[in-house]
Amino acid sequence: MIVLGCDHGGYDLMQEVKKHLDEKGLDYLDLGTDSGEVSVDYPDYAHRVVKAILDGTCDRGILICGTGIGISMAANRFKGIRAALCTDCYMAEKAREHNDANILAMGGRVLGSGTALKIVDTFLETPFSEGERHKRRIAKIDDTEL
Ligand code: RB5
């Protein structure tokens, strides 16, 4: 199951993403926001999505704010979360193959919907490589104490 969260800056693109997932017959849990007109705080929606992944309700997430920057920063504060801000399909592919990203972040004021939906497909369809060097590097993200 895919969990979705956005702020007002990501609302319009998220509606396109939802339509696309509907057309593909993919289930999702939409945790808001519910309008592009009301200004909200992107960390609140990042936190909802993070919670749904960390408690096991969902295994992948998509977060969208105006740039994708703030909402990915907020999500990446949490151990076990690997949110990748992607602006093209190459980034989405490597985010899965190398980083085992569990959240895709995008900027609703940055990307056109054509590019964004291809990024979504790449993110959802690309498996983690299972490479040992990638597992080692991912483990260091969560396990290193400075
Ligand atoms: C909201 O205006 C905007 O700051 C937000 O959507 C996002 O771009 C933050 O990183």
Short mmCIF file of all heavy atoms in Angstrom, two decimals, residues 7-10 40 42 65-71 109, ligand 1:
data_model
loop_
_atom_site.label_atom_id
_atom_site.label_comp_id
_atom_site.label_asym_id
_atom_site.label_seq_id
_atom_site.Cartn_x
_atom_site.Cartn_y
_atom_site.Cartn_z
N ASP A 7 1.45 19.20 0.99
CA ASP A 7 0.94 20.47 1.51
C ASP A 7 0.20 21.18 0.36
O ASP A 7 0.00 20.59 -0.72
CB ASP A 7 2.07 21.31 2.13
CG ASP A 7 3.00 21.94 1.10
OD1 ASP A 7 2.86 21.65 -0.11
OD2 ASP A 7 3.87 22.74 1.51
N HIS A 8 -0.18 22.43 0.59
CA HIS A 8 -0.93 23.17 -0.43
C HIS A 8 -0.12 23.33 -1.73
O HIS A 8 -0.68 23.36 -2.81
CB HIS A 8 -1.35 24.54 0.11
CG HIS A 8 -0.21 25.33 0.66
ND1 HIS A 8 0.43 24.99 1.84
CD2 HIS A 8 0.46 26.41 0.17
CE1 HIS A 8 1.41 25.85 2.08
NE2 HIS A 8 1.45 26.71 1.09
N GLY A 9 1.21 23.43 -1.60
CA GLY A 9 2.06 23.59 -2.77
C GLY A 9 2.15 22.33 -3.62
O GLY A 9 2.53 22.37 -4.79
N GLY A 10 1.80 21.20 -3.02
CA GLY A 10 1.85 19.93 -3.74
C GLY A 10 0.49 19.37 -4.08
O GLY A 10 0.39 18.30 -4.71
N VAL A 40 -0.88 25.26 4.72
CA VAL A 40 -0.65 24.33 5.83
C VAL A 40 0.86 24.13 6.00
O VAL A 40 1.65 24.65 5.20
CB VAL A 40 -1.33 22.96 5.56
CG1 VAL A 40 -2.84 23.10 5.54
CG2 VAL A 40 -0.82 22.32 4.27
N TYR A 42 4.09 21.82 5.88
CA TYR A 42 4.50 20.54 5.27
C TYR A 42 5.02 19.49 6.27
O TYR A 42 4.81 18.30 6.03
CB TYR A 42 5.53 20.78 4.14
CG TYR A 42 6.77 21.53 4.55
CD1 TYR A 42 7.82 20.91 5.21
CD2 TYR A 42 6.89 22.90 4.28
CE1 TYR A 42 8.94 21.61 5.60
CE2 TYR A 42 8.02 23.60 4.67
CZ TYR A 42 9.04 22.94 5.32
OH TYR A 42 10.14 23.64 5.72
N CYS A 65 5.53 18.76 -1.81
CA CYS A 65 5.30 20.14 -1.39
C CYS A 65 5.67 21.02 -2.58
O CYS A 65 5.78 20.51 -3.70
CB CYS A 65 6.07 20.49 -0.11
SG CYS A 65 7.87 20.52 -0.25
N GLY A 66 5.85 22.32 -2.38
CA GLY A 66 6.12 23.17 -3.52
C GLY A 66 7.40 22.78 -4.25
O GLY A 66 7.41 22.65 -5.47
N THR A 67 8.46 22.61 -3.49
CA THR A 67 9.76 22.22 -4.07
C THR A 67 10.10 20.75 -3.84
O THR A 67 11.01 20.23 -4.50
CB THR A 67 10.89 23.04 -3.43
OG1 THR A 67 10.86 22.79 -2.01
CG2 THR A 67 10.73 24.53 -3.71
N GLY A 68 9.49 20.13 -2.87
CA GLY A 68 9.88 18.79 -2.43
C GLY A 68 10.97 18.82 -1.37
O GLY A 68 11.29 17.80 -0.76
N ILE A 69 11.53 20.00 -1.14
CA ILE A 69 12.69 20.11 -0.23
C ILE A 69 12.26 19.98 1.23
O ILE A 69 12.74 19.12 1.96
CB ILE A 69 13.45 21.43 -0.47
CG1 ILE A 69 14.06 21.44 -1.88
CG2 ILE A 69 14.55 21.60 0.58
CD1 ILE A 69 14.66 22.80 -2.27
N GLY A 70 11.36 20.87 1.66
CA GLY A 70 10.99 20.87 3.07
C GLY A 70 10.37 19.55 3.51
O GLY A 70 10.69 19.01 4.59
N ILE A 71 9.52 19.00 2.67
CA ILE A 71 8.79 17.79 3.07
C ILE A 71 9.73 16.58 3.11
O ILE A 71 9.57 15.69 3.95
CB ILE A 71 7.56 17.60 2.13
CG1 ILE A 71 6.43 16.90 2.87
CG2 ILE A 71 7.91 16.94 0.81
CD1 ILE A 71 5.03 17.14 2.28
N ARG A 109 5.64 22.56 -7.63
CA ARG A 109 5.86 23.80 -8.37
C ARG A 109 7.11 23.71 -9.24
O ARG A 109 7.56 24.72 -9.78
CB ARG A 109 5.98 24.97 -7.38
CG ARG A 109 4.70 25.22 -6.61
CD ARG A 109 4.93 26.22 -5.48
NE ARG A 109 3.67 26.46 -4.75
CZ ARG A 109 3.62 26.96 -3.52
NH1 ARG A 109 4.74 27.28 -2.89
NH2 ARG A 109 2.46 27.13 -2.93
C1 RB5 B 1 4.99 26.47 0.84
O1 RB5 B 1 4.80 27.77 0.37
C2 RB5 B 1 6.37 25.96 0.47
O2 RB5 B 1 7.33 26.58 1.25
C3 RB5 B 1 6.43 24.47 0.62
O3 RB5 B 1 5.47 23.89 -0.19
C4 RB5 B 1 7.73 23.81 0.24
O4 RB5 B 1 8.18 24.23 -1.02
C5 RB5 B 1 8.80 23.83 1.26
O5 RB5 B 1 9.88 23.25 1.10
#
